[in-house]
Amino acid sequence: MKKTSTRLADGRELIYYDLRDDSVRDAVDRRPLEPTVTTSEVRRDPLLGDAVAIASHRQGRTYHPPADECPLCPTEGDRLSEIPDSSYDVVVFENRFPSLAGDSGRCEVVCFTSEHTASFASLSEEQARLVLDAWTDRTSELSHLPSVEQVFCFENRGAEIGVTLQHPHGQIYAYPFTTPRTALMLRQVAAHKDATGGENLFDTVLEQELAGERVVLEGEHWVAFVPYAAHWPYEVHLYPKRRVPDLLALDEAARTDFPKVYLELLRRFDRIFGPDEPPTPYIAAWHQAPFGALEEFDGVQRDDFALHLELFTIRRTSGKLKFLAGSESGMNVFINDIRPEAAAERLREVASS
């Protein structure tokens, strides 16, 4: 992998990740851009104790542009985009409309490929590995920023999810706090550790799932399963078999095995509802241990956390979405319309489709 860092016309950082070591990235951003102005701030809810990012400047962000005006495609002639070069393998750049900025963190965009009509599932294993390497590098770099406590790599895919740019891409959020979902996991890890005399909760869950009926697919170093208490109709968790706290700690064997397993999982997701259905909308979310202090979690260390990816779709059946209505949105109590065992069986069935 070759990494080349440059600056866009408004001063934002852009980084090319190339498969070839002889790639030259010297194209200049020719757009007449003014410096970005953001209004991001983080406020604490006094009743719940969680954080809310207030980012009113995002109302003006690009919204469903036509394909020939996509800002994530390479620059071509007089059609100028966020990527100055005429081609790329993987690109990461600072979001022009970030939810978090300055002392409140940082937001980046990850373009998986220059092909506008592609998807992550259509990438080659070599390309998918390059994305993994980019995620890992950005996790490392962002973790050293003084305001950053947790790094979150994720992909929103599909208009139903709320995606406003159809080009295959994901995002990276660098939070100045430990996110509420991660905090809940860490508290459960601490409670389990105390109740069992030191056992790791993630290890226990993984051992139980490996022995059960919800495993969807398994590689030499990774396993994908529908969790026992899945929140979403089709939800799969992907774990490395050797517990590590973050992407940085993955060994070469796990990195090599990842593209094959993950690409197969995404391709199965697209086949859940049949060959005539549009691509399945989904969210793919990497969960990594925070880089900040963990004193509030009763003796839990970073190494007690288990890196994993959670993949889920909001589509519950053909042509129907799972909406977060009263119980989910009002009380955070999910109601799943599909038994996790049935979802796992369906995802195994579509392997040969």
Side-chain angles (χ1 to χ4, degrees):
M1 178 186 78
K2 181 180 180 182
K3 175 183 175 183
T4 307
S5 180
T6 184
R7 292 282 172 180
L8 296 173
D10 56 9
R12 289 174 294 135
E13 186 178 18
L14 179 143
I15 306 157
Y16 294 97
Y17 293 90
D18 285 296
L19 293 168
R20 293 170 55 95
D21 290 337
D22 59 354
S23 298
V24 177
R25 300 298 184 184
D26 55 6
V28 176
D29 185 3
R30 295 181 280 130
R31 296 172 298 171
L33 297 180
E34 295 294 329
T36 57
V37 177
T38 64
T39 57
S40 298
E41 63 173 307
V42 174
R43 298 183 181 181
R44 288 281 177 181
D45 185 318
L47 297 180
L48 299 179
D50 59 3
V52 177
I54 309 297
S56 57
H57 63 276
R58 283 173 53 79
Q59 288 282 27
R61 67 187 185 274
T62 307
Y63 187 81
H64 292 297
D68 61 355
E69 296 178 16
C70 175
L72 306 185
C73 286
T75 288
E76 183 177 344
D78 293 331
R79 190 189 72 181
L80 308 180
S81 75
E82 287 280 62
I83 296 90
D85 216 326
S86 59
S87 67
Y88 63 85
D89 292 333
V90 173
V91 163
V92 176
F93 60 87
E94 289 183 75
N95 197 325
R96 186 165 173 78
F97 303 96
S99 302
L100 306 165
D103 293 339
S104 297
R106 175 160 159 150
C107 293
E108 298 182 340
V109 177
V110 184
C111 298
F112 304 141
T113 172
S114 61
E115 297 296 325
H116 182 80
T117 58
S119 67
F120 201 117
S122 70
L123 299 181
S124 68
E125 291 186 17
E126 184 180 39
Q127 290 173 305
R129 168 61 190 266
L130 184 61
V131 176
L132 175 64
D133 290 342
W135 283 330
T136 304
D137 181 71
R138 297 314 301 155
T139 296
S140 175
E141 293 291 331
L142 293 170
S143 72
H144 290 98
L145 297 180
S147 64
V148 172
E149 190 166 312
Q150 186 172 1
V151 179
F152 176 46
C153 308
F154 64 100
E155 179 191 3
N156 296 329
R157 193 267 189 109
E160 299 94 329
I161 298 294
V163 175
T164 58
L165 298 175
Q166 298 308 310
H167 194 103
H169 73 287
Q171 300 180 66
I172 302 175
Y173 278 21
Y175 297 103
F177 50 80
T178 297
T179 59
R181 189 173 176 87
T182 301
L184 284 173
M185 292 185 198
L186 290 170
R187 292 189 184 101
Q188 289 296 101
V189 169
H192 185 81
K193 191 174 186 178
D194 181 64
T196 60
E199 289 184 11
N200 183 275
L201 177 59
F202 287 107
D203 291 349
T204 299
V205 168
L206 188 57
E207 181 181 354
Q208 292 173 347
E209 294 292 358
L210 279 167
E213 59 180 314
R214 289 180 297 274
V215 172
V216 173
L217 62 94
E218 185 175 352
E220 184 178 357
H221 300 280
W222 295 83
V223 60
F225 58 87
V226 177
Y228 169 74
H231 289 57
W232 299 91
Y234 289 95
E235 174 182 342
V236 178
H237 293 188
L238 178 63
Y239 276 71
K241 292 182 179 179
R242 182 180 69 87
R243 173 167 46 90
V244 295
D246 52 37
L247 290 166
L248 304 174
L250 288 173
D251 60 23
E252 182 59 29
R255 293 180 185 281
T256 300
D257 193 38
F258 170 77
K260 180 179 180 180
V261 176
Y262 187 48
L263 290 172
E264 171 60 21
L265 181 59
L266 290 180
R267 290 161 187 165
R268 291 191 192 190
F269 249 60
D270 272 346
R271 296 195 290 262
I272 293 174
F273 304 106
D276 298 326
E277 289 293 313
T280 301
Y282 65 73
I283 293 174
W286 280 108
H287 292 262
Q288 305 191 78
F291 291 95
L294 300 177
E295 286 85 354
E296 63 180 292
F297 302 109
D298 299 325
V300 172
Q301 306 297 316
R302 285 197 83 247
D303 288 345
D304 291 325
F305 194 86
L307 167 76
H308 63 284
L309 183 143
E310 298 185 7
L311 173 70
F312 62 90
T313 178
I314 63 170
R315 187 177 292 166
R316 57 186 174 88
T317 189
S318 178
K320 297 179 181 179
L321 301 180
K322 165 65 177 178
F323 292 102
L324 300 189
S327 185
E328 292 90 353
S329 294
M331 284 294 166
N332 200 28
V333 177
F334 276 68
I335 300 169
N336 193 345
D337 303 308
I338 298 176
R339 293 185 73 249
E341 293 75 18
E345 182 178 7
R346 176 57 182 159
L347 285 161
R348 289 192 297 268
E349 287 175 350
V350 297
S352 58
S353 298

